[in-house]
Amino acid sequence: MAMMIPYGERVTPDDRTVAARPLMRPRPAGRTLRIVVASLLAVWFALPLVPLLLWSVANRWSAPAALPTEWGLDGLASAVTAGAVPAFGRSLLLGLVVAAVATPLGAMAARALARGAVPAPRLVSGILLAPLALPAFVAVMGLTIVLLRARVPGLIGVVILLVAAALPYTVYTMRVAYAAHDLAYEEEARTLGASRAQVLWRVHLPLVAPGLARAAFLAFLVGWSDYVVTVLVGGGTIVTLPLLVASFAAGVGNDAVVAVLSLSAIVPPLVLLLGLGRFGRRYPTARYLTGPTASRSPKGAP
């Protein structure tokens, strides 16, 4: 009997299989090269953060000194006084709302396009990807006039435009996920008596969960880092963290405050990125995909 391997479950080959298949043998040189390249890339991306870290704890840094001439937390105190905490909360809430709306909409559109359930799929795909082709300023100015004439409140208008801006990323990400999605699992679950709700929650969502996580992350970044839409549509009444960073960066002598605000703007995306790398590649185990009649053989057994 052939060994049954549940979808997404990693099986480690035994020594006999590895010895018989040279391609499965580990290559220390290749692994070392990957570690070195990954370390160099990490240093490259982390290097611009060093000046920000130094400025955030510097009360004074005069040229040509290589390090701050006076250490302190005046920048942090000024940022808190200027409203950094409420602005951080607004940006976080805005990013979460955009992700919560744009991710399911993008997933449904991608599923319909992948299954050919919409007429003129090329036209629909072009419309969904149009926000990427248009300059952000031009698109926002045109839509702002429409929202003002429709008397849409500023906050709702900001969310609508940011969701529209995030849809291309969620649709494309989920189209890639659905391209590798096998409908046979859902059909087999329906054959075994599962309802539509059970198929959705126990089979479909676990299978596309990594794609949903990546799409939600991209949609969150759109809402979290937005500046143009919030300024033009919000009219200055919605003060988010990017707006606060831009206002302080436009002045002179606010380097410490800008450094503190910039570092705080990096924290949520970095935490989500680490979580995505940790959990985004996990696939459902056999409890979702095997029934009571499924059997397993011991590892390495025929």
Side-chain angles (χ1 to χ4, degrees):
M1 177 186 293
M3 181 176 62
M4 297 182 63
I5 303 175
Y7 177 80
E9 184 171 304
R10 180 176 295 177
V11 177
T12 303
D14 55 7
D15 296 336
R16 184 179 60 183
T17 305
V18 172
R21 300 180 181 179
L23 292 178
M24 300 180 67
R25 296 173 186 171
R27 292 175 172 79
R31 183 178 181 183
T32 303
L33 180 60
R34 289 195 298 269
I35 293 175
V36 171
V37 172
S39 302
L40 291 176
L41 289 175
V43 171
W44 176 260
F45 285 110
L47 196 59
L49 300 180
V50 175
L52 292 178
L53 290 171
L54 293 176
W55 265 117
S56 64
V57 292
N59 290 345
R60 181 179 300 173
W61 193 351
S62 303
L67 293 175
T69 54
E70 183 179 341
W71 302 88
L73 298 177
D74 290 350
L76 178 60
S78 300
V80 173
T81 305
V85 176
F88 184 93
R90 294 188 195 99
S91 294
L92 185 62
L93 181 60
L94 186 60
L96 293 175
V97 170
V98 171
V101 177
T103 303
L105 290 179
M108 289 187 291
R111 181 179 173 87
L113 289 171
R115 299 185 63 179
V118 294
R122 292 186 178 181
L123 178 61
V124 174
S125 298
I127 294 175
L128 291 174
L129 297 178
L132 295 179
L134 296 175
F137 185 82
V138 175
V140 171
M141 286 298 296
L143 293 175
T144 301
I145 298 175
V146 176
L147 294 175
L148 289 176
R149 298 198 175 202
R151 300 182 183 274
V152 177
L155 180 59
I156 297 178
V158 169
V159 173
I160 292 174
L161 292 184
L162 290 180
V163 168
L167 276 178
Y169 302 99
T170 57
V171 171
Y172 178 78
T173 303
M174 292 310 299
R175 285 199 70 174
V176 174
Y178 280 119
H181 180 61
D182 192 354
L183 292 175
Y185 292 107
E186 300 181 23
E187 296 172 355
E188 184 175 356
R190 292 302 304 272
T191 303
L192 295 174
S195 63
R196 290 185 178 272
Q198 289 174 331
V199 171
L200 176 65
W201 290 103
R202 299 296 299 276
V203 179
H204 179 76
L205 289 181
L207 286 174
V208 299
L212 288 173
R214 290 188 287 268
F217 174 72
L218 295 176
F220 174 83
L221 288 183
V222 171
W224 169 260
S225 60
D226 173 72
Y227 174 80
V228 176
V229 175
T230 309
V231 167
L232 295 179
V233 181
T237 59
I238 307 172
V239 181
T240 58
L241 198 59
L243 268 66
L244 209 58
V245 173
S247 63
F248 276 98
V252 179
N254 300 320
D255 298 314
V257 182
V258 173
V260 171
L261 294 175
S262 300
L263 288 175
S264 63
I266 297 172
V267 172
L270 183 60
V271 172
L272 290 177
L273 185 61
L274 293 176
L276 183 64
R278 179 68 177 85
F279 301 104
R281 293 186 178 182
R282 286 190 174 182
Y283 287 88
T285 56
R287 69 178 182 272
Y288 296 108
L289 303 176
T290 58
T293 59
S295 61
R296 298 188 194 177
S297 301
K299 185 174 69 174

